[in-house]
Short mmCIF file of all heavy atoms in Angstrom, two decimals:
data_model
loop_
_atom_site.label_atom_id
_atom_site.label_comp_id
_atom_site.label_asym_id
_atom_site.label_seq_id
_atom_site.Cartn_x
_atom_site.Cartn_y
_atom_site.Cartn_z
N MET A 1 88.35 181.72 100.96
CA MET A 1 87.09 181.99 101.67
C MET A 1 87.32 181.85 103.18
O MET A 1 87.96 180.90 103.62
CB MET A 1 86.05 180.97 101.21
CG MET A 1 84.64 181.29 101.70
SD MET A 1 83.55 179.89 101.45
CE MET A 1 83.73 179.56 99.70
N ALA A 2 86.82 182.80 103.93
CA ALA A 2 86.98 182.74 105.39
C ALA A 2 86.20 181.56 105.97
O ALA A 2 85.14 181.20 105.47
CB ALA A 2 86.49 184.05 106.00
N LYS A 3 86.76 180.99 106.99
CA LYS A 3 86.09 179.87 107.64
C LYS A 3 85.14 180.39 108.70
O LYS A 3 85.38 181.40 109.34
CB LYS A 3 87.12 178.95 108.32
CG LYS A 3 87.80 178.01 107.35
CD LYS A 3 88.55 176.92 108.10
CE LYS A 3 87.59 175.91 108.71
NZ LYS A 3 88.33 174.79 109.34
N VAL A 4 84.05 179.68 108.88
CA VAL A 4 83.10 180.04 109.93
C VAL A 4 83.78 179.79 111.28
O VAL A 4 84.28 178.70 111.53
CB VAL A 4 81.83 179.18 109.83
CG1 VAL A 4 80.85 179.54 110.94
CG2 VAL A 4 81.18 179.32 108.46
N PRO A 5 83.84 180.82 112.14
CA PRO A 5 84.49 180.63 113.43
C PRO A 5 83.63 179.79 114.38
O PRO A 5 82.41 179.96 114.41
CB PRO A 5 84.66 182.06 113.95
CG PRO A 5 83.66 182.88 113.23
CD PRO A 5 83.36 182.19 111.93
N ASP A 6 84.29 178.91 115.10
CA ASP A 6 83.58 178.07 116.07
C ASP A 6 83.50 178.84 117.40
O ASP A 6 84.32 178.65 118.29
CB ASP A 6 84.34 176.75 116.24
CG ASP A 6 83.63 175.80 117.19
OD1 ASP A 6 82.56 176.17 117.71
OD2 ASP A 6 84.14 174.70 117.41
N THR A 7 82.53 179.72 117.48
CA THR A 7 82.39 180.58 118.66
C THR A 7 80.95 180.51 119.17
O THR A 7 80.04 180.11 118.44
CB THR A 7 82.67 182.05 118.29
OG1 THR A 7 81.71 182.45 117.28
CG2 THR A 7 84.07 182.24 117.74
N PRO A 8 80.74 180.90 120.43
CA PRO A 8 79.36 180.96 120.96
C PRO A 8 78.47 181.86 120.13
O PRO A 8 77.28 181.59 119.97
CB PRO A 8 79.55 181.52 122.38
CG PRO A 8 80.96 181.20 122.75
CD PRO A 8 81.74 181.24 121.45
N GLU A 9 79.05 182.94 119.58
CA GLU A 9 78.26 183.86 118.76
C GLU A 9 77.77 183.17 117.48
O GLU A 9 76.63 183.34 117.07
CB GLU A 9 79.09 185.10 118.38
CG GLU A 9 79.41 186.04 119.53
CD GLU A 9 80.47 185.50 120.50
OE1 GLU A 9 81.30 184.66 120.08
OE2 GLU A 9 80.45 185.90 121.67
N SER A 10 78.65 182.37 116.88
CA SER A 10 78.25 181.63 115.68
C SER A 10 77.17 180.62 116.03
O SER A 10 76.18 180.48 115.30
CB SER A 10 79.45 180.87 115.09
OG SER A 10 80.43 181.75 114.63
N LEU A 11 77.36 179.92 117.14
CA LEU A 11 76.39 178.89 117.52
C LEU A 11 75.00 179.49 117.69
O LEU A 11 74.00 178.89 117.34
CB LEU A 11 76.85 178.19 118.81
CG LEU A 11 76.02 176.99 119.24
CD1 LEU A 11 75.97 175.92 118.15
CD2 LEU A 11 76.55 176.40 120.54
N GLN A 12 74.96 180.71 118.22
CA GLN A 12 73.67 181.38 118.39
C GLN A 12 72.99 181.64 117.06
O GLN A 12 71.77 181.71 116.99
CB GLN A 12 73.87 182.72 119.11
CG GLN A 12 73.86 182.57 120.63
CD GLN A 12 73.79 183.91 121.32
OE1 GLN A 12 74.07 184.94 120.73
NE2 GLN A 12 73.41 183.89 122.58
N GLN A 13 73.80 181.82 116.02
CA GLN A 13 73.22 182.13 114.70
C GLN A 13 72.84 180.87 113.93
O GLN A 13 72.09 180.94 112.96
CB GLN A 13 74.22 182.94 113.88
CG GLN A 13 74.37 184.36 114.37
CD GLN A 13 75.33 185.14 113.48
OE1 GLN A 13 76.54 185.10 113.66
NE2 GLN A 13 74.78 185.84 112.52
N CYS A 14 73.37 179.73 114.36
CA CYS A 14 73.09 178.47 113.67
C CYS A 14 71.62 178.09 113.83
O CYS A 14 71.10 178.12 114.94
CB CYS A 14 73.99 177.36 114.23
SG CYS A 14 73.63 175.73 113.55
N ILE A 15 70.98 177.75 112.72
CA ILE A 15 69.55 177.42 112.76
C ILE A 15 69.29 175.93 112.61
O ILE A 15 68.15 175.51 112.39
CB ILE A 15 68.77 178.22 111.68
CG1 ILE A 15 69.30 177.90 110.28
CG2 ILE A 15 68.86 179.71 111.96
CD1 ILE A 15 68.45 178.53 109.16
N CYS A 16 70.34 175.11 112.76
CA CYS A 16 70.16 173.66 112.66
C CYS A 16 69.05 173.14 113.57
O CYS A 16 68.34 172.20 113.22
CB CYS A 16 71.46 172.93 113.01
SG CYS A 16 72.71 173.01 111.72
N GLY A 17 68.93 173.75 114.76
CA GLY A 17 67.92 173.28 115.72
C GLY A 17 66.51 173.33 115.16
O GLY A 17 65.64 172.61 115.65
N GLY A 18 66.27 174.15 114.14
CA GLY A 18 64.94 174.25 113.55
C GLY A 18 64.79 173.43 112.28
O GLY A 18 63.78 173.52 111.59
N CYS A 19 65.77 172.62 111.98
CA CYS A 19 65.80 171.86 110.72
C CYS A 19 65.06 170.54 110.86
O CYS A 19 65.17 169.87 111.89
CB CYS A 19 67.26 171.61 110.36
SG CYS A 19 67.46 170.46 108.99
N PRO A 20 64.32 170.12 109.84
CA PRO A 20 63.60 168.84 109.90
C PRO A 20 64.52 167.62 109.98
O PRO A 20 64.08 166.55 110.37
CB PRO A 20 62.77 168.82 108.61
CG PRO A 20 63.28 169.90 107.75
CD PRO A 20 63.98 170.89 108.63
N SER A 21 65.78 167.78 109.62
CA SER A 21 66.72 166.65 109.72
C SER A 21 67.38 166.58 111.10
O SER A 21 68.02 165.58 111.44
CB SER A 21 67.83 166.78 108.66
OG SER A 21 67.27 166.76 107.37
N TYR A 22 67.24 167.63 111.86
CA TYR A 22 67.87 167.69 113.19
C TYR A 22 67.05 166.83 114.15
O TYR A 22 65.88 167.08 114.37
CB TYR A 22 67.91 169.14 113.66
CG TYR A 22 68.81 169.40 114.85
CD1 TYR A 22 70.16 169.63 114.70
CD2 TYR A 22 68.29 169.43 116.14
CE1 TYR A 22 70.98 169.88 115.78
CE2 TYR A 22 69.10 169.69 117.24
CZ TYR A 22 70.45 169.91 117.05
OH TYR A 22 71.26 170.17 118.13
N ASN A 23 67.70 165.81 114.72
CA ASN A 23 66.91 164.86 115.52
C ASN A 23 67.29 164.86 117.00
O ASN A 23 68.14 165.64 117.44
CB ASN A 23 67.03 163.46 114.90
CG ASN A 23 68.45 162.92 114.92
OD1 ASN A 23 69.27 163.36 115.71
ND2 ASN A 23 68.73 161.96 114.05
N GLN A 24 66.66 163.96 117.71
CA GLN A 24 66.84 163.91 119.16
C GLN A 24 68.29 163.63 119.54
O GLN A 24 68.81 164.20 120.49
CB GLN A 24 65.91 162.82 119.74
CG GLN A 24 65.84 162.83 121.27
CD GLN A 24 65.16 164.07 121.82
OE1 GLN A 24 64.10 164.45 121.35
NE2 GLN A 24 65.79 164.71 122.80
N CYS A 25 68.93 162.73 118.81
CA CYS A 25 70.33 162.39 119.09
C CYS A 25 71.21 163.64 118.99
O CYS A 25 72.03 163.91 119.86
CB CYS A 25 70.81 161.32 118.10
SG CYS A 25 72.57 160.96 118.18
N MET A 26 71.00 164.41 117.93
CA MET A 26 71.77 165.65 117.75
C MET A 26 71.52 166.61 118.90
O MET A 26 72.43 167.25 119.41
CB MET A 26 71.37 166.30 116.42
CG MET A 26 71.78 165.49 115.20
SD MET A 26 70.85 166.03 113.75
CE MET A 26 71.94 165.53 112.43
N GLN A 27 70.26 166.66 119.29
CA GLN A 27 69.89 167.56 120.38
C GLN A 27 70.53 167.09 121.69
O GLN A 27 71.08 167.90 122.44
CB GLN A 27 68.36 167.59 120.51
CG GLN A 27 67.87 168.77 121.32
CD GLN A 27 66.35 168.85 121.33
OE1 GLN A 27 65.69 168.34 120.44
NE2 GLN A 27 65.80 169.47 122.34
N ASP A 28 70.47 165.80 121.94
CA ASP A 28 71.05 165.24 123.17
C ASP A 28 72.56 165.51 123.22
O ASP A 28 73.11 165.72 124.30
CB ASP A 28 70.80 163.74 123.25
CG ASP A 28 69.33 163.41 123.50
OD1 ASP A 28 68.57 164.33 123.87
OD2 ASP A 28 68.94 162.24 123.33
N ASN A 29 73.22 165.48 122.08
CA ASN A 29 74.66 165.74 122.01
C ASN A 29 74.98 167.23 121.94
O ASN A 29 76.14 167.61 121.83
CB ASN A 29 75.27 165.05 120.78
CG ASN A 29 75.28 163.55 120.90
OD1 ASN A 29 75.08 163.01 121.97
ND2 ASN A 29 75.51 162.87 119.79
N GLN A 30 73.93 168.05 121.95
CA GLN A 30 74.08 169.51 121.84
C GLN A 30 74.92 169.86 120.61
O GLN A 30 75.82 170.71 120.66
CB GLN A 30 74.71 170.08 123.10
CG GLN A 30 73.83 169.88 124.33
CD GLN A 30 74.36 170.57 125.57
OE1 GLN A 30 75.53 170.43 125.91
NE2 GLN A 30 73.51 171.33 126.23
N GLU A 31 74.61 169.19 119.50
CA GLU A 31 75.34 169.44 118.27
C GLU A 31 74.79 170.67 117.55
O GLU A 31 73.69 171.14 117.83
CB GLU A 31 75.22 168.23 117.34
CG GLU A 31 76.00 167.02 117.84
CD GLU A 31 75.95 165.85 116.88
OE1 GLU A 31 75.29 165.97 115.83
OE2 GLU A 31 76.56 164.84 117.17
N GLY A 32 75.54 171.13 116.59
CA GLY A 32 75.15 172.27 115.75
C GLY A 32 76.41 172.87 115.17
O GLY A 32 77.52 172.35 115.39
N LEU A 33 76.25 173.93 114.43
CA LEU A 33 77.38 174.64 113.84
C LEU A 33 78.32 173.69 113.11
O LEU A 33 79.54 173.79 113.20
CB LEU A 33 78.12 175.41 114.95
CG LEU A 33 79.07 176.54 114.55
CD1 LEU A 33 78.36 177.57 113.68
CD2 LEU A 33 79.67 177.19 115.76
N TYR A 34 77.71 172.77 112.40
CA TYR A 34 78.49 171.73 111.72
C TYR A 34 79.45 172.31 110.68
O TYR A 34 80.50 171.73 110.41
CB TYR A 34 77.56 170.73 111.02
CG TYR A 34 76.63 170.00 111.96
CD1 TYR A 34 75.27 170.29 111.96
CD2 TYR A 34 77.11 169.03 112.82
CE1 TYR A 34 74.41 169.62 112.81
CE2 TYR A 34 76.26 168.35 113.67
CZ TYR A 34 74.89 168.65 113.66
OH TYR A 34 74.05 167.99 114.50
N CYS A 35 79.09 173.44 110.11
CA CYS A 35 79.93 174.03 109.07
C CYS A 35 81.25 174.55 109.65
O CYS A 35 82.18 174.84 108.90
CB CYS A 35 79.19 175.14 108.34
SG CYS A 35 78.62 176.45 109.44
N ALA A 36 81.32 174.66 110.98
CA ALA A 36 82.57 175.09 111.62
C ALA A 36 83.19 173.96 112.43
O ALA A 36 84.31 174.11 112.92
CB ALA A 36 82.29 176.27 112.55
N ARG A 37 82.46 172.88 112.54
CA ARG A 37 82.91 171.79 113.41
C ARG A 37 82.95 170.49 112.63
O ARG A 37 82.98 170.48 111.41
CB ARG A 37 81.95 171.65 114.59
CG ARG A 37 81.90 172.88 115.48
CD ARG A 37 80.88 172.67 116.56
NE ARG A 37 80.92 173.75 117.55
CZ ARG A 37 80.04 173.89 118.53
NH1 ARG A 37 79.03 173.05 118.64
NH2 ARG A 37 80.16 174.88 119.39
N GLU A 38 82.92 169.39 113.39
CA GLU A 38 82.88 168.07 112.76
C GLU A 38 81.46 167.74 112.35
O GLU A 38 80.50 168.32 112.84
CB GLU A 38 83.38 167.02 113.74
CG GLU A 38 84.85 167.18 114.08
CD GLU A 38 85.33 166.10 115.03
OE1 GLU A 38 84.49 165.29 115.48
OE2 GLU A 38 86.53 166.08 115.31
N LYS A 39 81.36 166.73 111.49
CA LYS A 39 80.02 166.26 111.13
C LYS A 39 79.37 165.60 112.34
O LYS A 39 80.01 165.34 113.35
CB LYS A 39 80.12 165.28 109.97
CG LYS A 39 80.88 164.01 110.28
CD LYS A 39 81.02 163.17 109.03
CE LYS A 39 81.81 161.90 109.34
NZ LYS A 39 81.98 161.06 108.16
N SER A 40 78.09 165.32 112.20
CA SER A 40 77.34 164.75 113.31
C SER A 40 77.80 163.34 113.64
O SER A 40 78.18 162.57 112.76
CB SER A 40 75.86 164.71 112.94
OG SER A 40 75.13 164.09 113.98
N ALA A 41 77.75 163.01 114.92
CA ALA A 41 78.05 161.66 115.38
C ALA A 41 76.79 160.79 115.33
O ALA A 41 76.84 159.60 115.62
CB ALA A 41 78.60 161.70 116.80
N CYS A 42 75.67 161.39 114.96
CA CYS A 42 74.37 160.70 114.99
C CYS A 42 74.01 160.13 113.62
O CYS A 42 74.43 160.63 112.59
CB CYS A 42 73.27 161.68 115.38
SG CYS A 42 73.48 162.37 117.02
N GLU A 43 73.19 159.10 113.66
CA GLU A 43 72.51 158.65 112.44
C GLU A 43 71.32 159.57 112.24
O GLU A 43 70.64 159.92 113.20
CB GLU A 43 71.98 157.23 112.63
CG GLU A 43 73.03 156.22 113.01
CD GLU A 43 73.32 155.27 111.88
OE1 GLU A 43 72.48 155.18 110.97
OE2 GLU A 43 74.38 154.63 111.91
N PHE A 44 71.06 159.94 111.00
CA PHE A 44 69.90 160.79 110.78
C PHE A 44 69.37 160.62 109.37
O PHE A 44 70.09 160.18 108.47
CB PHE A 44 70.23 162.27 111.03
CG PHE A 44 71.22 162.85 110.05
CD1 PHE A 44 70.79 163.56 108.94
CD2 PHE A 44 72.59 162.66 110.24
CE1 PHE A 44 71.70 164.08 108.04
CE2 PHE A 44 73.50 163.18 109.34
CZ PHE A 44 73.06 163.89 108.23
N ASP A 45 68.09 160.94 109.20
CA ASP A 45 67.46 160.91 107.88
C ASP A 45 67.58 162.30 107.26
O ASP A 45 67.42 163.30 107.94
CB ASP A 45 65.98 160.54 108.01
CG ASP A 45 65.82 159.12 108.53
OD1 ASP A 45 66.63 158.25 108.16
OD2 ASP A 45 64.87 158.89 109.30
N ARG A 46 67.84 162.33 105.97
CA ARG A 46 67.92 163.62 105.27
C ARG A 46 66.52 164.10 104.93
O ARG A 46 65.96 163.75 103.90
CB ARG A 46 68.76 163.49 104.00
CG ARG A 46 70.22 163.25 104.32
CD ARG A 46 71.07 163.35 103.07
NE ARG A 46 72.48 163.15 103.39
CZ ARG A 46 73.48 163.74 102.75
NH1 ARG A 46 73.23 164.56 101.75
NH2 ARG A 46 74.72 163.52 103.11
N ASN A 47 65.97 164.89 105.82
CA ASN A 47 64.62 165.42 105.62
C ASN A 47 64.64 166.85 105.13
O ASN A 47 63.68 167.59 105.31
CB ASN A 47 63.84 165.34 106.95
CG ASN A 47 63.61 163.91 107.38
OD1 ASN A 47 63.40 163.04 106.55
ND2 ASN A 47 63.66 163.66 108.68
N GLY A 48 65.74 167.23 104.53
CA GLY A 48 65.90 168.61 104.06
C GLY A 48 66.95 169.30 104.89
O GLY A 48 67.30 168.84 105.97
N CYS A 49 67.48 170.38 104.33
CA CYS A 49 68.52 171.16 105.02
C CYS A 49 68.18 172.63 104.85
O CYS A 49 67.89 173.08 103.75
CB CYS A 49 69.89 170.87 104.42
SG CYS A 49 71.22 171.86 105.13
N ILE A 50 68.22 173.36 105.96
CA ILE A 50 67.85 174.78 105.92
C ILE A 50 69.07 175.70 106.04
O ILE A 50 68.93 176.88 106.28
CB ILE A 50 66.81 175.12 107.02
CG1 ILE A 50 67.33 174.77 108.42
CG2 ILE A 50 65.50 174.37 106.75
CD1 ILE A 50 66.40 175.27 109.54
N CYS A 51 70.26 175.14 105.84
CA CYS A 51 71.48 175.97 105.90
C CYS A 51 71.38 177.18 104.98
O CYS A 51 71.93 178.24 105.30
CB CYS A 51 72.71 175.16 105.52
SG CYS A 51 73.29 174.03 106.81
N GLY A 52 70.70 177.03 103.87
CA GLY A 52 70.59 178.14 102.92
C GLY A 52 69.94 179.36 103.51
O GLY A 52 70.15 180.47 103.02
N ALA A 53 69.16 179.18 104.58
CA ALA A 53 68.47 180.30 105.21
C ALA A 53 69.26 180.83 106.41
O ALA A 53 68.81 181.76 107.08
CB ALA A 53 67.07 179.86 105.66
N CYS A 54 70.42 180.25 106.66
CA CYS A 54 71.21 180.63 107.84
C CYS A 54 72.02 181.89 107.57
O CYS A 54 72.63 182.02 106.51
CB CYS A 54 72.15 179.47 108.18
SG CYS A 54 73.32 179.86 109.49
N PRO A 55 72.06 182.82 108.51
CA PRO A 55 72.84 184.05 108.31
C PRO A 55 74.32 183.78 108.10
O PRO A 55 74.99 184.53 107.38
CB PRO A 55 72.61 184.86 109.60
CG PRO A 55 71.94 183.95 110.57
CD PRO A 55 71.32 182.84 109.79
N LEU A 56 74.83 182.71 108.68
CA LEU A 56 76.26 182.40 108.51
C LEU A 56 76.55 181.90 107.10
O LEU A 56 77.63 182.14 106.56
CB LEU A 56 76.71 181.36 109.53
CG LEU A 56 76.74 181.84 110.98
CD1 LEU A 56 77.00 180.67 111.92
CD2 LEU A 56 77.77 182.93 111.18
N ALA A 57 75.59 181.22 106.50
CA ALA A 57 75.77 180.73 105.14
C ALA A 57 75.94 181.91 104.18
O ALA A 57 76.79 181.87 103.29
CB ALA A 57 74.59 179.87 104.72
N SER A 58 75.16 182.97 104.41
CA SER A 58 75.30 184.17 103.57
C SER A 58 76.61 184.87 103.87
O SER A 58 77.37 185.23 102.97
CB SER A 58 74.15 185.15 103.83
OG SER A 58 72.95 184.48 104.07
N GLU A 59 76.89 185.03 105.15
CA GLU A 59 78.07 185.79 105.55
C GLU A 59 79.36 185.15 105.05
O GLU A 59 80.29 185.85 104.62
CB GLU A 59 78.09 185.91 107.07
CG GLU A 59 79.13 186.88 107.59
CD GLU A 59 79.05 187.07 109.11
OE1 GLU A 59 78.04 186.68 109.72
OE2 GLU A 59 80.03 187.59 109.66
N TYR A 60 79.40 183.83 105.08
CA TYR A 60 80.64 183.13 104.70
C TYR A 60 80.53 182.46 103.34
O TYR A 60 81.36 181.64 102.97
CB TYR A 60 81.03 182.13 105.79
CG TYR A 60 81.48 182.84 107.05
CD1 TYR A 60 80.56 183.12 108.06
CD2 TYR A 60 82.78 183.28 107.19
CE1 TYR A 60 80.94 183.82 109.20
CE2 TYR A 60 83.18 183.98 108.32
CZ TYR A 60 82.26 184.24 109.32
OH TYR A 60 82.66 184.94 110.42
N ALA A 61 79.48 182.80 102.60
CA ALA A 61 79.30 182.29 101.24
C ALA A 61 79.40 180.77 101.17
O ALA A 61 80.06 180.21 100.30
CB ALA A 61 80.31 182.94 100.29
N LEU A 62 78.74 180.11 102.10
CA LEU A 62 78.70 178.65 102.08
C LEU A 62 77.82 178.20 100.94
O LEU A 62 76.73 178.74 100.75
CB LEU A 62 78.15 178.10 103.41
CG LEU A 62 78.89 178.54 104.67
CD1 LEU A 62 78.26 177.89 105.90
CD2 LEU A 62 80.37 178.21 104.60
N ASP A 63 78.29 177.25 100.15
CA ASP A 63 77.50 176.85 98.98
C ASP A 63 77.07 175.39 99.03
O ASP A 63 76.61 174.85 98.03
CB ASP A 63 78.28 177.15 97.70
CG ASP A 63 79.62 176.43 97.65
OD1 ASP A 63 79.94 175.70 98.61
OD2 ASP A 63 80.35 176.61 96.66
N LYS A 64 77.23 174.77 100.18
CA LYS A 64 76.78 173.39 100.29
C LYS A 64 75.64 173.27 101.28
O LYS A 64 75.25 174.25 101.92
CB LYS A 64 77.94 172.49 100.74
CG LYS A 64 79.13 172.50 99.77
CD LYS A 64 80.02 171.31 100.02
CE LYS A 64 81.20 171.32 99.07
NZ LYS A 64 82.26 172.23 99.55
N LEU A 65 75.12 172.06 101.38
CA LEU A 65 74.08 171.76 102.34
C LEU A 65 74.51 170.53 103.14
O LEU A 65 75.52 169.90 102.83
CB LEU A 65 72.74 171.48 101.64
CG LEU A 65 72.11 172.68 100.93
CD1 LEU A 65 70.89 172.23 100.12
CD2 LEU A 65 71.71 173.78 101.90
N PHE A 66 73.75 170.18 104.12
CA PHE A 66 74.02 168.98 104.94
C PHE A 66 75.43 168.98 105.52
O PHE A 66 76.16 167.99 105.40
CB PHE A 66 73.75 167.70 104.13
CG PHE A 66 72.28 167.49 103.86
CD1 PHE A 66 71.76 167.77 102.61
CD2 PHE A 66 71.43 167.04 104.85
CE1 PHE A 66 70.41 167.61 102.35
CE2 PHE A 66 70.08 166.86 104.61
CZ PHE A 66 69.56 167.14 103.36
N TYR A 67 75.79 170.08 106.15
CA TYR A 67 77.08 170.11 106.84
C TYR A 67 77.12 169.12 107.99
O TYR A 67 78.21 168.71 108.41
CB TYR A 67 77.40 171.53 107.33
CG TYR A 67 77.74 172.44 106.17
CD1 TYR A 67 76.79 173.29 105.62
CD2 TYR A 67 79.00 172.39 105.59
CE1 TYR A 67 77.08 174.09 104.54
CE2 TYR A 67 79.31 173.18 104.50
CZ TYR A 67 78.34 174.03 103.98
OH TYR A 67 78.64 174.82 102.90
N CYS A 68 75.96 168.70 108.46
CA CYS A 68 75.93 167.68 109.52
C CYS A 68 76.45 166.34 108.98
O CYS A 68 76.86 165.47 109.74
CB CYS A 68 74.53 167.52 110.09
SG CYS A 68 73.25 167.30 108.85
N ALA A 69 76.44 166.16 107.67
CA ALA A 69 77.00 164.95 107.06
C ALA A 69 78.40 165.19 106.51
O ALA A 69 79.16 164.25 106.31
CB ALA A 69 76.10 164.48 105.93
N LEU A 70 78.75 166.46 106.29
CA LEU A 70 80.04 166.80 105.67
C LEU A 70 81.09 167.23 106.68
O LEU A 70 82.27 166.96 106.51
CB LEU A 70 79.85 167.97 104.69
CG LEU A 70 79.01 167.76 103.46
CD1 LEU A 70 78.80 169.09 102.75
CD2 LEU A 70 79.69 166.76 102.53
N GLY A 71 80.65 167.95 107.70
CA GLY A 71 81.59 168.60 108.60
C GLY A 71 82.07 169.90 107.99
O GLY A 71 81.57 170.34 106.96
N ALA A 72 83.03 170.54 108.65
CA ALA A 72 83.51 171.85 108.22
C ALA A 72 84.17 171.76 106.85
O ALA A 72 84.75 170.75 106.49
CB ALA A 72 84.49 172.40 109.24
N GLU A 73 84.07 172.87 106.11
CA GLU A 73 84.78 172.97 104.84
C GLU A 73 86.26 173.08 105.13
O GLU A 73 86.68 173.77 106.04
CB GLU A 73 84.34 174.25 104.11
CG GLU A 73 82.87 174.28 103.85
CD GLU A 73 82.58 174.48 102.37
OE1 GLU A 73 83.36 173.96 101.55
OE2 GLU A 73 81.62 175.16 102.07
N THR A 74 87.08 172.42 104.34
CA THR A 74 88.52 172.50 104.58
C THR A 74 89.16 173.51 103.64
O THR A 74 88.53 173.96 102.71
CB THR A 74 89.19 171.13 104.38
OG1 THR A 74 88.77 170.60 103.12
CG2 THR A 74 88.80 170.20 105.50
S1 SF4 B 1 75.21 176.97 107.77
FE1 SF4 B 1 74.02 175.24 108.58
S2 SF4 B 1 75.48 174.15 109.92
FE2 SF4 B 1 76.30 176.17 109.54
S3 SF4 B 1 75.62 177.42 111.24
FE3 SF4 B 1 74.12 177.68 109.58
S4 SF4 B 1 72.51 176.19 109.94
FE4 SF4 B 1 74.28 175.59 111.18
S1 SF4 B 2 73.47 170.99 108.54
FE1 SF4 B 2 71.59 171.34 107.36
S2 SF4 B 2 70.59 169.31 107.38
FE2 SF4 B 2 72.09 169.29 108.99
S3 SF4 B 2 70.94 169.88 110.82
FE3 SF4 B 2 71.90 171.75 109.97
S4 SF4 B 2 70.34 172.65 108.67
FE4 SF4 B 2 69.75 170.52 109.03
#
């Protein structure tokens, strides 16, 4: 399976910013695109994950959720 590229174009498609689990700490760290990067450095509550609605999840056939807790697929 192709890996999600860590590019500005990918970041633009990432919808983490609209997720109920995405918090102020993540925003302050300008985090996102967790499926292509490392997991979050922030503590956060799991209030749901909207990765399933992300265009990159469809394009790269991602089958997990909470990449902010998992980091990139290896
Ligand atoms: S699948 Fe999730 S972590 Fe990856 S770019 Fe989309 S919203 Fe962000
Ligand atoms: S990886 Fe999922 S749970 Fe985490 S911020 Fe992105 S959409 Fe929300």
Side-chain angles (χ1 to χ4, degrees):
M1 190 193 305
K3 280 194 73 175
V4 179
D6 182 0
T7 60
E9 290 73 26
S10 295
L11 187 57
Q12 273 191 342
Q13 288 182 275
C14 175
I15 59 173
C16 285
C19 170
S21 299
Y22 193 85
N23 63 22
Q24 190 67 48
C25 172
M26 293 162 156
Q27 197 175 336
D28 290 346
N29 291 346
Q30 297 186 310
E31 290 184 359
L33 198 55
Y34 299 109
C35 58
R37 297 177 172 172
E38 294 181 356
K39 64 185 179 181
S40 176
C42 298
E43 303 251 343
F44 66 97
D45 295 324
R46 291 189 179 213
N47 295 324
C49 177
I50 58 172
C51 284
C54 173
L56 291 172
S58 324
E59 190 175 345
Y60 291 92
L62 304 182
D63 59 0
K64 300 198 180 81
L65 293 173
F66 291 103
Y67 288 99
C68 50
L70 294 172
E73 302 235 35
T74 50

